[in-house]
Amino acid sequence: MTTTRRAAVLGSPIAHSLSPQLHNAGYRALGLEGWSYDRFEIDEAALPGFLAQLGPEWAGLSLTMPLKRAVIPLLDEITDTAASVEAVNTVVLRPDGRRVGDNTDIPGLVAALHERGVEKTESAAILGAGATASSALAALARICTGEVTVYVRSERRADEMRQWGERLGVQVRPADWADAVRAFEAPLVISTTPAGGTDALAEQLPAHVGTLFDVLYEPWPTPLAAAWEARGGQVLSGLDLLVHQAVFQFRQFTGDPRSPLTAMREAAVRRG
C-alpha cells in the first residue's frame, strides 16, 4: 500500500505558479509514488486556519507573496538562512508536528550561479531594492569578495540596503538609479526589478558585459536580457532561480538526497 504524502504552494495570487509542475515532475522522475503537490490561494488572513487543519500526510509547503514574512510567527523554528533576510519560502512539516521555516531562494540563487561557472566574484551590482534584493545580497555574501553596488530610487531604499548589508556582512554602496547604467561595469549584475523596470537601460549596454541574473521569467526574454545576450554576455533567468530553489525544497520535503534538477528544468521550460 502506497503512503500518501502531500505538499503545496500557497500565496495570493497563485494561479501563475509553476511549482506544482516542477515538484510533480520531480516525483515522477524519481519514482516517488503517493506524492502529490498542489496550489492554494491563501492570503495572510487565511494562513493560520490553513496551517491548523493540515493532517499528518502533509510534508511541506512552499510560500510566495504575501506570506513569506506573515508565516514566521506561526512557526516553531526558522533556520539561520531564513532569519538572515526575515523571509520564509519553505515550511517543513515534521512528523512530530513541528513547523520549521527555511529560505531556499538564497542557496538556489548561489547554486544557479555555480552551475554557470560563477563561484566567486570580486564585485557585483544589484538593480532594485525590494524583497528579492535582500535575498540577492544574502547570496552575494557567500560568493562576493568585494563591494556590492545597489542602484535604488530613493534615500529610504538606500538606507534599507545599507542596513541589510551590515546585517549580512556585505560591503554595500548604494547608488542613485539615475546612474544605473554604471551597474554594467560589474562582472555580475543581479536585476531584481519588476517587469519593465530595466527596459530603458537595455539600449545603454557597453560593448563588453559579464553575467546578468535577471530574476524575471515572464515575459522572457526581457529587453535587458535580450540586449545582454546580443553583446555575448551570460544570462540567467528567474527560471534558473525557480528550479534550483525548488530542488532544495524537494529534498527537504521528501528526504530524498537525489536531485530532480533535469526533470524540473524540463517542466519549467515547457511550462507543464
Side-chain angles (χ1 to χ4, degrees):
M1 180 177 179
T2 301
T3 302
T4 299
R5 299 291 281 155
R6 298 187 67 184
V9 60
L10 314 181
S12 183
I14 202 62
H16 67 285
S17 176
L18 294 178
S19 293
Q21 290 95 313
L22 303 190
H23 284 262
N24 285 316
Y27 301 150
R28 291 192 298 270
L30 298 188
L32 298 184
E33 297 182 4
W35 280 84
S36 65
Y37 188 106
D38 305 296
R39 63 165 69 88
F40 293 92
E41 181 86 14
I42 301 290
D43 61 14
E44 298 103 317
L47 183 60
F50 184 88
L51 293 178
Q53 57 84 40
L54 296 180
E57 73 277 12
W58 282 88
L61 301 168
S62 308
L63 302 179
T64 184
M65 298 305 291
L67 305 178
K68 292 185 178 184
R69 291 199 169 127
V71 74
I72 293 176
L74 306 175
L75 302 176
D76 298 298
E77 176 187 345
I78 65 172
T79 64
D80 291 342
T81 301
S84 73
V85 290
E86 297 179 0
V88 166
N89 79 327
T90 304
V91 177
V92 180
L93 302 168
R94 298 274 174 82
D96 62 4
R98 290 178 59 80
R99 305 168 182 163
V100 180
D102 195 11
N103 187 307
T104 62
D105 286 333
I106 295 165
L109 200 155
V110 173
L113 286 167
H114 281 181
E115 184 183 39
R116 299 296 190 88
V118 182
E119 298 191 359
K120 288 292 180 183
T121 183
E122 295 180 355
S123 63
I126 296 176
L127 299 172
T132 306
S134 59
S135 291
L137 264 184
L140 289 172
R142 303 184 181 190
I143 65 170
C144 185
T145 59
E147 185 177 72
V148 178
T149 306
V150 183
Y151 292 86
V152 298
R153 296 183 184 275
S154 70
E155 187 57 38
R156 179 177 67 84
R157 289 295 196 184
D159 288 340
E160 289 176 355
M161 295 309 290
R162 285 192 198 96
Q163 292 170 17
W164 278 116
E166 292 172 3
R167 180 170 182 170
L168 294 165
V170 182
Q171 184 181 351
V172 171
R173 181 177 69 85
D176 193 282
W177 185 263
D179 298 321
V181 67
R182 297 288 302 276
F184 306 141
E185 299 170 8
L188 171 61
V189 179
I190 303 178
S191 176
T192 68
T193 67
T198 60
D199 290 2
L201 301 174
E203 299 176 358
Q204 303 179 59
L205 293 184
H208 301 286
V209 292
T211 296
L212 170 69
F213 201 141
D214 192 327
V215 302
L216 296 172
Y217 63 82
E218 191 67 41
W220 188 263
T222 63
L224 180 62
W228 199 279
E229 287 191 321
R231 291 285 196 280
Q234 176 168 239
V235 175
L236 292 84
S237 78
L239 282 183
D240 292 291
L241 173 57
L242 182 67
V243 169
H244 277 278
Q245 67 81 29
V247 169
F248 284 104
Q249 288 184 335
F250 183 97
R251 286 171 165 168
Q252 290 196 51
F253 294 166
T254 65
D256 193 318
R258 295 175 295 169
S259 173
L261 179 63
T262 299
M264 284 187 165
R265 177 175 284 124
E266 290 174 353
V269 170
R270 67 176 182 266
R271 302 293 200 273

